Amino acid sequence: MQFDSIILDIDGTIWNTTQVVAEAWNKAIKENYPQVKPVTAEILQGQFGKTMSIIAENLFSPLDQTQRQDLINKCCEYEHIAIKENKKNITYPNVVSTIKELSKKYKLFIVSNCQSGYIELTMKKNNITQYITDFECYGNTGNNKSDNIKLVIKRNALNSPVYVGDTQGDCEACKEAKIPFIWASYGFGTAETFLKKIETFDQLLKI
């Protein structure tokens, strides 16, 4: 397994923001569209990894398309504020130290189905901005994860990247992008096929 780069997922791989996000989203729901059912951290764990438009469709069914888009935008605004203000450690063990160590040998990237600004916020809160060469997300391009993986590969001229994520959706995106997939089994989902399974993030150092 000779890789020249590692592309990382965020939620369920780097950290778990679901409790913080659930509280922020419920505030947005209550203040703007109280007819929508509140969300829980567990509900969000089942949704994270999907594009924001799909999440809005799944969770905000009483609303029409325009209202769903408005609410998901408000949820993201409230979410960013809550994460910025959060003082609890929601990052998985040894993630930051492992990223620092991996960056000595590999170029590191992030590709997520998140909204614009979320990757930058994640990097800033974890003090890993200097270790990430490039990143892309659904909010910036409107593309699905596989296309964003391909985009990062192309513009950085990567020859042998590997993706680290926690869900079957990540697995399928890697198949479409034709790159190997490492499954972070401690995260939010399962995966049918993978090159390697890690139970803690720092096991990437052994791989």
Side-chain angles (χ1 to χ4, degrees), residues 137-193:
C137 69
Y138 169 80
N140 288 346
T141 67
N143 295 334
N144 60 31
K145 183 167 284 186
S146 62
D147 287 339
N148 283 329
I149 290 172
K150 292 175 186 176
L151 182 61
V152 166
I153 291 172
K154 182 177 181 180
R155 72 186 179 206
N156 292 280
L158 306 182
N159 294 314
S160 184
V162 62
Y163 189 91
V164 183
D166 65 306
T167 67
Q168 180 60 25
D170 294 332
C171 176
E172 292 170 357
C174 290
K175 288 180 182 178
E176 292 177 18
K178 297 181 180 179
I179 66 169
F181 171 64
I182 294 175
W183 176 39
S185 63
Y186 56 84
F188 298 160
T190 60
E192 294 177 359
T193 57

Short mmCIF file of all heavy atoms in Angstrom, two decimals, residues 137-193:
data_model
loop_
_atom_site.label_atom_id
_atom_site.label_comp_id
_atom_site.label_asym_id
_atom_site.label_seq_id
_atom_site.Cartn_x
_atom_site.Cartn_y
_atom_site.Cartn_z
N CYS A 137 -16.01 20.69 -0.75
CA CYS A 137 -17.26 20.24 -0.15
C CYS A 137 -18.45 20.52 -1.06
O CYS A 137 -18.37 21.30 -2.01
CB CYS A 137 -17.47 20.93 1.21
SG CYS A 137 -17.82 22.69 1.10
N TYR A 138 -19.56 19.89 -0.72
CA TYR A 138 -20.81 20.05 -1.46
C TYR A 138 -21.26 21.50 -1.50
O TYR A 138 -21.72 22.00 -2.52
CB TYR A 138 -21.89 19.18 -0.82
CG TYR A 138 -23.29 19.44 -1.33
CD1 TYR A 138 -23.73 18.90 -2.54
CD2 TYR A 138 -24.17 20.24 -0.59
CE1 TYR A 138 -25.01 19.15 -3.00
CE2 TYR A 138 -25.45 20.48 -1.05
CZ TYR A 138 -25.87 19.94 -2.26
OH TYR A 138 -27.13 20.20 -2.72
N GLY A 139 -21.10 22.20 -0.37
CA GLY A 139 -21.54 23.58 -0.31
C GLY A 139 -20.82 24.49 -1.28
O GLY A 139 -21.39 25.49 -1.74
N ASN A 140 -19.58 24.17 -1.61
CA ASN A 140 -18.81 25.00 -2.55
C ASN A 140 -19.13 24.70 -4.00
O ASN A 140 -19.18 25.60 -4.83
CB ASN A 140 -17.32 24.79 -2.32
CG ASN A 140 -16.83 25.41 -1.03
OD1 ASN A 140 -17.53 26.21 -0.41
ND2 ASN A 140 -15.63 25.03 -0.61
N THR A 141 -19.31 23.42 -4.31
CA THR A 141 -19.42 23.01 -5.72
C THR A 141 -20.81 22.55 -6.14
O THR A 141 -21.12 22.56 -7.33
CB THR A 141 -18.44 21.86 -6.01
OG1 THR A 141 -18.86 20.69 -5.29
CG2 THR A 141 -17.01 22.23 -5.62
N GLY A 142 -21.61 22.08 -5.18
CA GLY A 142 -22.90 21.47 -5.52
C GLY A 142 -22.74 20.05 -6.02
O GLY A 142 -23.71 19.40 -6.40
N ASN A 143 -21.50 19.54 -5.99
CA ASN A 143 -21.21 18.18 -6.47
C ASN A 143 -21.29 17.17 -5.33
O ASN A 143 -21.11 17.51 -4.16
CB ASN A 143 -19.81 18.12 -7.08
CG ASN A 143 -19.66 18.96 -8.31
OD1 ASN A 143 -20.64 19.22 -9.02
ND2 ASN A 143 -18.45 19.41 -8.59
N ASN A 144 -21.54 15.91 -5.68
CA ASN A 144 -21.52 14.85 -4.68
C ASN A 144 -20.08 14.54 -4.27
O ASN A 144 -19.12 15.08 -4.83
CB ASN A 144 -22.25 13.60 -5.19
CG ASN A 144 -21.63 13.04 -6.46
OD1 ASN A 144 -20.41 13.14 -6.68
ND2 ASN A 144 -22.44 12.42 -7.30
N LYS A 145 -19.93 13.67 -3.30
CA LYS A 145 -18.60 13.42 -2.73
C LYS A 145 -17.63 12.81 -3.73
O LYS A 145 -16.46 13.20 -3.78
CB LYS A 145 -18.72 12.53 -1.49
CG LYS A 145 -17.40 12.27 -0.79
CD LYS A 145 -17.57 11.65 0.58
CE LYS A 145 -18.02 12.67 1.60
NZ LYS A 145 -18.07 12.12 2.99
N SER A 146 -18.10 11.87 -4.54
CA SER A 146 -17.19 11.24 -5.50
C SER A 146 -16.62 12.26 -6.48
O SER A 146 -15.43 12.23 -6.80
CB SER A 146 -17.90 10.11 -6.25
OG SER A 146 -18.99 10.61 -7.00
N ASP A 147 -17.47 13.18 -6.96
CA ASP A 147 -16.99 14.21 -7.89
C ASP A 147 -16.03 15.17 -7.22
O ASP A 147 -15.06 15.64 -7.83
CB ASP A 147 -18.17 14.97 -8.49
CG ASP A 147 -18.95 14.15 -9.50
OD1 ASP A 147 -18.39 13.18 -10.03
OD2 ASP A 147 -20.13 14.47 -9.75
N ASN A 148 -16.28 15.48 -5.95
CA ASN A 148 -15.37 16.37 -5.23
C ASN A 148 -14.04 15.69 -4.93
O ASN A 148 -12.99 16.33 -4.93
CB ASN A 148 -16.02 16.87 -3.94
CG ASN A 148 -17.03 17.98 -4.21
OD1 ASN A 148 -16.89 18.75 -5.14
ND2 ASN A 148 -18.06 18.05 -3.38
N ILE A 149 -14.08 14.38 -4.69
CA ILE A 149 -12.83 13.63 -4.54
C ILE A 149 -12.03 13.69 -5.83
O ILE A 149 -10.82 13.97 -5.83
CB ILE A 149 -13.12 12.17 -4.15
CG1 ILE A 149 -13.64 12.08 -2.71
CG2 ILE A 149 -11.85 11.31 -4.29
CD1 ILE A 149 -14.12 10.69 -2.31
N LYS A 150 -12.71 13.46 -6.94
CA LYS A 150 -12.03 13.53 -8.25
C LYS A 150 -11.45 14.91 -8.50
O LYS A 150 -10.36 15.05 -9.06
CB LYS A 150 -13.02 13.17 -9.36
CG LYS A 150 -13.49 11.73 -9.36
CD LYS A 150 -14.55 11.52 -10.43
CE LYS A 150 -15.15 10.13 -10.38
NZ LYS A 150 -16.25 9.98 -11.38
N LEU A 151 -12.19 15.94 -8.10
CA LEU A 151 -11.74 17.32 -8.29
C LEU A 151 -10.46 17.60 -7.52
O LEU A 151 -9.51 18.19 -8.06
CB LEU A 151 -12.85 18.28 -7.85
CG LEU A 151 -12.60 19.79 -8.03
CD1 LEU A 151 -12.37 20.12 -9.50
CD2 LEU A 151 -13.78 20.58 -7.48
N VAL A 152 -10.42 17.17 -6.28
CA VAL A 152 -9.22 17.36 -5.45
C VAL A 152 -8.04 16.57 -6.02
O VAL A 152 -6.91 17.07 -6.05
CB VAL A 152 -9.51 16.95 -3.99
CG1 VAL A 152 -8.22 16.81 -3.20
CG2 VAL A 152 -10.41 17.99 -3.33
N ILE A 153 -8.30 15.37 -6.47
CA ILE A 153 -7.25 14.55 -7.07
C ILE A 153 -6.67 15.23 -8.31
O ILE A 153 -5.45 15.31 -8.49
CB ILE A 153 -7.79 13.15 -7.43
CG1 ILE A 153 -8.08 12.35 -6.15
CG2 ILE A 153 -6.79 12.39 -8.31
CD1 ILE A 153 -8.79 11.03 -6.42
N LYS A 154 -7.55 15.75 -9.15
CA LYS A 154 -7.11 16.36 -10.41
C LYS A 154 -6.31 17.63 -10.18
O LYS A 154 -5.23 17.80 -10.76
CB LYS A 154 -8.32 16.65 -11.30
CG LYS A 154 -7.96 17.25 -12.64
CD LYS A 154 -9.20 17.44 -13.51
CE LYS A 154 -8.81 18.03 -14.87
NZ LYS A 154 -10.01 18.22 -15.73
N ARG A 155 -6.83 18.52 -9.34
CA ARG A 155 -6.15 19.82 -9.22
C ARG A 155 -4.88 19.75 -8.38
O ARG A 155 -4.06 20.67 -8.40
CB ARG A 155 -7.10 20.88 -8.68
CG ARG A 155 -7.52 20.80 -7.25
CD ARG A 155 -8.57 21.86 -6.96
NE ARG A 155 -9.03 21.83 -5.59
CZ ARG A 155 -10.23 22.25 -5.20
NH1 ARG A 155 -11.09 22.72 -6.10
NH2 ARG A 155 -10.57 22.22 -3.94
N ASN A 156 -4.69 18.63 -7.66
CA ASN A 156 -3.45 18.45 -6.91
C ASN A 156 -2.54 17.39 -7.52
O ASN A 156 -1.51 17.05 -6.93
CB ASN A 156 -3.76 18.09 -5.46
CG ASN A 156 -4.39 19.25 -4.71
OD1 ASN A 156 -3.71 20.16 -4.26
ND2 ASN A 156 -5.72 19.23 -4.58
N ALA A 157 -2.95 16.86 -8.67
CA ALA A 157 -2.15 15.88 -9.41
C ALA A 157 -1.74 14.70 -8.52
O ALA A 157 -0.58 14.29 -8.50
CB ALA A 157 -0.92 16.54 -10.03
N LEU A 158 -2.72 14.15 -7.81
CA LEU A 158 -2.43 13.03 -6.92
C LEU A 158 -2.38 11.73 -7.72
O LEU A 158 -3.22 11.48 -8.57
CB LEU A 158 -3.51 12.93 -5.84
CG LEU A 158 -3.75 14.20 -5.01
CD1 LEU A 158 -4.81 13.95 -3.95
CD2 LEU A 158 -2.46 14.71 -4.39
N ASN A 159 -1.40 10.91 -7.41
CA ASN A 159 -1.23 9.65 -8.14
C ASN A 159 -1.80 8.45 -7.40
O ASN A 159 -2.30 7.51 -8.02
CB ASN A 159 0.26 9.41 -8.41
CG ASN A 159 0.85 10.43 -9.35
OD1 ASN A 159 0.25 10.74 -10.38
ND2 ASN A 159 2.01 10.97 -9.00
N SER A 160 -1.74 8.48 -6.06
CA SER A 160 -2.18 7.31 -5.30
C SER A 160 -2.80 7.73 -3.96
O SER A 160 -2.23 7.48 -2.90
CB SER A 160 -0.99 6.37 -5.06
OG SER A 160 -1.41 5.20 -4.40
N PRO A 161 -3.99 8.34 -4.01
CA PRO A 161 -4.65 8.77 -2.78
C PRO A 161 -5.47 7.65 -2.14
O PRO A 161 -5.85 6.68 -2.81
CB PRO A 161 -5.56 9.90 -3.26
CG PRO A 161 -5.94 9.46 -4.65
CD PRO A 161 -4.74 8.76 -5.21
N VAL A 162 -5.75 7.81 -0.86
CA VAL A 162 -6.66 6.92 -0.15
C VAL A 162 -7.62 7.79 0.66
O VAL A 162 -7.23 8.88 1.11
CB VAL A 162 -5.90 5.94 0.78
CG1 VAL A 162 -5.13 6.69 1.85
CG2 VAL A 162 -6.83 4.90 1.39
N TYR A 163 -8.86 7.35 0.79
CA TYR A 163 -9.86 8.12 1.52
C TYR A 163 -10.18 7.44 2.84
O TYR A 163 -10.31 6.21 2.90
CB TYR A 163 -11.14 8.25 0.69
CG TYR A 163 -12.17 9.21 1.27
CD1 TYR A 163 -12.15 10.55 0.91
CD2 TYR A 163 -13.14 8.78 2.17
CE1 TYR A 163 -13.08 11.45 1.44
CE2 TYR A 163 -14.06 9.66 2.71
CZ TYR A 163 -14.03 10.99 2.34
OH TYR A 163 -14.95 11.87 2.88
N VAL A 164 -10.34 8.24 3.89
CA VAL A 164 -10.70 7.72 5.21
C VAL A 164 -12.06 8.29 5.59
O VAL A 164 -12.23 9.51 5.71
CB VAL A 164 -9.66 8.11 6.29
CG1 VAL A 164 -10.05 7.50 7.63
CG2 VAL A 164 -8.27 7.68 5.87
N GLY A 165 -13.06 7.42 5.78
CA GLY A 165 -14.40 7.84 6.15
C GLY A 165 -15.09 6.78 6.97
O GLY A 165 -14.52 5.71 7.23
N ASP A 166 -16.35 7.05 7.34
CA ASP A 166 -16.99 6.17 8.32
C ASP A 166 -18.31 5.54 7.87
O ASP A 166 -18.92 4.81 8.64
CB ASP A 166 -17.24 6.93 9.63
CG ASP A 166 -18.23 8.07 9.44
OD1 ASP A 166 -18.00 8.91 8.54
OD2 ASP A 166 -19.22 8.13 10.18
N THR A 167 -18.76 5.81 6.65
CA THR A 167 -20.08 5.34 6.23
C THR A 167 -20.04 4.59 4.90
O THR A 167 -19.06 4.69 4.15
CB THR A 167 -21.07 6.51 6.09
OG1 THR A 167 -20.67 7.33 4.99
CG2 THR A 167 -21.14 7.32 7.38
N GLN A 168 -21.12 3.90 4.62
CA GLN A 168 -21.26 3.23 3.33
C GLN A 168 -21.28 4.25 2.19
O GLN A 168 -20.80 3.98 1.09
CB GLN A 168 -22.55 2.40 3.32
CG GLN A 168 -22.81 1.64 2.01
CD GLN A 168 -21.71 0.64 1.67
OE1 GLN A 168 -21.00 0.15 2.54
NE2 GLN A 168 -21.58 0.34 0.38
N GLY A 169 -21.83 5.43 2.47
CA GLY A 169 -21.81 6.49 1.46
C GLY A 169 -20.39 6.88 1.07
O GLY A 169 -20.10 7.12 -0.11
N ASP A 170 -19.50 6.92 2.06
CA ASP A 170 -18.08 7.19 1.78
C ASP A 170 -17.49 6.07 0.94
O ASP A 170 -16.72 6.31 0.00
CB ASP A 170 -17.30 7.32 3.09
CG ASP A 170 -17.72 8.54 3.90
OD1 ASP A 170 -18.16 9.53 3.29
OD2 ASP A 170 -17.60 8.48 5.13
N CYS A 171 -17.84 4.85 1.30
CA CYS A 171 -17.37 3.67 0.56
C CYS A 171 -17.79 3.74 -0.91
O CYS A 171 -16.98 3.53 -1.81
CB CYS A 171 -17.90 2.41 1.22
SG CYS A 171 -17.51 0.87 0.37
N GLU A 172 -19.05 4.06 -1.14
CA GLU A 172 -19.57 4.14 -2.51
C GLU A 172 -18.95 5.29 -3.28
O GLU A 172 -18.67 5.17 -4.48
CB GLU A 172 -21.09 4.29 -2.47
CG GLU A 172 -21.79 3.03 -1.95
CD GLU A 172 -23.27 3.24 -1.68
OE1 GLU A 172 -23.76 4.39 -1.85
OE2 GLU A 172 -23.94 2.27 -1.30
N ALA A 173 -18.69 6.40 -2.61
CA ALA A 173 -18.03 7.54 -3.26
C ALA A 173 -16.63 7.16 -3.72
O ALA A 173 -16.19 7.55 -4.80
CB ALA A 173 -17.98 8.73 -2.32
N CYS A 174 -15.93 6.39 -2.90
CA CYS A 174 -14.59 5.94 -3.25
C CYS A 174 -14.61 4.98 -4.44
O CYS A 174 -13.73 5.02 -5.30
CB CYS A 174 -13.92 5.28 -2.06
SG CYS A 174 -13.48 6.44 -0.75
N LYS A 175 -15.62 4.12 -4.48
CA LYS A 175 -15.76 3.22 -5.63
C LYS A 175 -15.94 4.01 -6.91
O LYS A 175 -15.33 3.72 -7.94
CB LYS A 175 -16.95 2.27 -5.41
CG LYS A 175 -16.72 1.19 -4.37
CD LYS A 175 -17.95 0.31 -4.24
CE LYS A 175 -17.76 -0.76 -3.17
NZ LYS A 175 -18.98 -1.61 -3.00
N GLU A 176 -16.80 5.04 -6.85
CA GLU A 176 -17.05 5.86 -8.02
C GLU A 176 -15.81 6.65 -8.42
O GLU A 176 -15.55 6.87 -9.61
CB GLU A 176 -18.22 6.81 -7.75
CG GLU A 176 -19.55 6.10 -7.60
CD GLU A 176 -20.69 7.06 -7.26
OE1 GLU A 176 -20.52 8.28 -7.48
OE2 GLU A 176 -21.73 6.59 -6.77
N ALA A 177 -15.05 7.09 -7.43
CA ALA A 177 -13.84 7.86 -7.71
C ALA A 177 -12.64 6.96 -8.01
O ALA A 177 -11.56 7.43 -8.37
CB ALA A 177 -13.51 8.75 -6.52
N LYS A 178 -12.83 5.64 -7.81
CA LYS A 178 -11.81 4.63 -8.10
C LYS A 178 -10.56 4.82 -7.24
O LYS A 178 -9.43 4.80 -7.75
CB LYS A 178 -11.47 4.62 -9.58
CG LYS A 178 -12.65 4.24 -10.47
CD LYS A 178 -12.28 4.22 -11.94
CE LYS A 178 -13.48 3.82 -12.80
NZ LYS A 178 -13.17 3.82 -14.24
N ILE A 179 -10.78 5.02 -5.93
CA ILE A 179 -9.66 5.08 -5.00
C ILE A 179 -9.95 4.16 -3.82
O ILE A 179 -11.10 3.87 -3.52
CB ILE A 179 -9.38 6.52 -4.51
CG1 ILE A 179 -10.54 7.05 -3.65
CG2 ILE A 179 -9.09 7.44 -5.68
CD1 ILE A 179 -10.20 8.35 -2.94
N PRO A 180 -8.91 3.71 -3.10
CA PRO A 180 -9.11 2.83 -1.94
C PRO A 180 -9.81 3.55 -0.79
O PRO A 180 -9.71 4.78 -0.66
CB PRO A 180 -7.68 2.42 -1.54
CG PRO A 180 -6.84 2.73 -2.73
CD PRO A 180 -7.49 3.88 -3.42
N PHE A 181 -10.49 2.77 0.04
CA PHE A 181 -11.26 3.32 1.16
C PHE A 181 -10.83 2.65 2.46
O PHE A 181 -10.77 1.43 2.55
CB PHE A 181 -12.75 3.07 0.91
CG PHE A 181 -13.64 3.40 2.08
CD1 PHE A 181 -13.75 4.69 2.55
CD2 PHE A 181 -14.39 2.40 2.71
CE1 PHE A 181 -14.59 5.00 3.63
CE2 PHE A 181 -15.23 2.70 3.77
CZ PHE A 181 -15.32 4.00 4.23
N ILE A 182 -10.53 3.47 3.47
CA ILE A 182 -10.26 2.98 4.82
C ILE A 182 -11.45 3.35 5.69
O ILE A 182 -11.85 4.52 5.76
CB ILE A 182 -8.97 3.59 5.40
CG1 ILE A 182 -7.76 3.11 4.59
CG2 ILE A 182 -8.81 3.23 6.88
CD1 ILE A 182 -6.44 3.74 5.02
N TRP A 183 -12.04 2.35 6.34
CA TRP A 183 -13.25 2.55 7.12
C TRP A 183 -12.94 2.87 8.58
O TRP A 183 -12.31 2.07 9.27
CB TRP A 183 -14.14 1.29 7.04
CG TRP A 183 -15.37 1.36 7.90
CD1 TRP A 183 -16.17 2.45 8.11
CD2 TRP A 183 -15.91 0.30 8.69
NE1 TRP A 183 -17.20 2.13 8.97
CE2 TRP A 183 -17.06 0.82 9.35
CE3 TRP A 183 -15.57 -1.03 8.90
CZ2 TRP A 183 -17.85 0.04 10.19
CZ3 TRP A 183 -16.34 -1.80 9.73
CH2 TRP A 183 -17.47 -1.27 10.36
N ALA A 184 -13.37 4.04 9.03
CA ALA A 184 -13.26 4.42 10.43
C ALA A 184 -14.45 3.84 11.18
O ALA A 184 -15.52 4.45 11.25
CB ALA A 184 -13.21 5.93 10.56
N SER A 185 -14.28 2.66 11.74
CA SER A 185 -15.41 1.90 12.30
C SER A 185 -15.94 2.51 13.59
O SER A 185 -17.02 2.14 14.05
CB SER A 185 -14.99 0.45 12.56
OG SER A 185 -13.95 0.38 13.52
N TYR A 186 -15.22 3.44 14.19
CA TYR A 186 -15.66 4.10 15.42
C TYR A 186 -16.68 5.21 15.14
O TYR A 186 -17.21 5.82 16.06
CB TYR A 186 -14.46 4.70 16.16
CG TYR A 186 -13.65 5.66 15.31
CD1 TYR A 186 -14.01 6.99 15.18
CD2 TYR A 186 -12.53 5.22 14.61
CE1 TYR A 186 -13.28 7.86 14.39
CE2 TYR A 186 -11.79 6.07 13.83
CZ TYR A 186 -12.17 7.40 13.72
OH TYR A 186 -11.45 8.25 12.91
N GLY A 187 -16.94 5.50 13.85
CA GLY A 187 -17.78 6.62 13.47
C GLY A 187 -19.27 6.32 13.48
O GLY A 187 -19.76 5.56 14.31
N PHE A 188 -19.99 6.89 12.51
CA PHE A 188 -21.45 6.88 12.54
C PHE A 188 -22.10 5.73 11.76
O PHE A 188 -23.28 5.47 11.92
CB PHE A 188 -22.00 8.19 11.94
CG PHE A 188 -21.59 9.42 12.70
CD1 PHE A 188 -21.64 10.66 12.08
CD2 PHE A 188 -21.17 9.35 14.01
CE1 PHE A 188 -21.28 11.81 12.77
CE2 PHE A 188 -20.81 10.49 14.71
CZ PHE A 188 -20.85 11.73 14.08
N GLY A 189 -21.34 5.07 10.89
CA GLY A 189 -22.00 4.10 10.02
C GLY A 189 -21.22 2.81 9.84
O GLY A 189 -20.29 2.50 10.59
N THR A 190 -21.62 2.06 8.85
CA THR A 190 -20.96 0.80 8.50
C THR A 190 -20.47 0.88 7.06
O THR A 190 -20.80 1.81 6.33
CB THR A 190 -21.93 -0.38 8.63
OG1 THR A 190 -23.05 -0.17 7.75
CG2 THR A 190 -22.44 -0.51 10.06
N ALA A 191 -19.69 -0.09 6.66
CA ALA A 191 -19.19 -0.15 5.29
C ALA A 191 -19.10 -1.61 4.86
O ALA A 191 -18.64 -2.46 5.63
CB ALA A 191 -17.84 0.53 5.17
N GLU A 192 -19.54 -1.89 3.66
CA GLU A 192 -19.55 -3.27 3.16
C GLU A 192 -18.18 -3.73 2.72
O GLU A 192 -17.78 -4.87 2.95
CB GLU A 192 -20.55 -3.38 2.00
CG GLU A 192 -22.00 -3.15 2.42
CD GLU A 192 -22.94 -3.19 1.24
OE1 GLU A 192 -22.47 -3.38 0.09
OE2 GLU A 192 -24.16 -3.03 1.45
N THR A 193 -17.45 -2.85 2.06
CA THR A 193 -16.12 -3.21 1.56
C THR A 193 -15.14 -2.09 1.89
O THR A 193 -15.49 -0.92 1.87
CB THR A 193 -16.13 -3.43 0.04
OG1 THR A 193 -16.62 -2.26 -0.61
CG2 THR A 193 -17.02 -4.61 -0.32
#
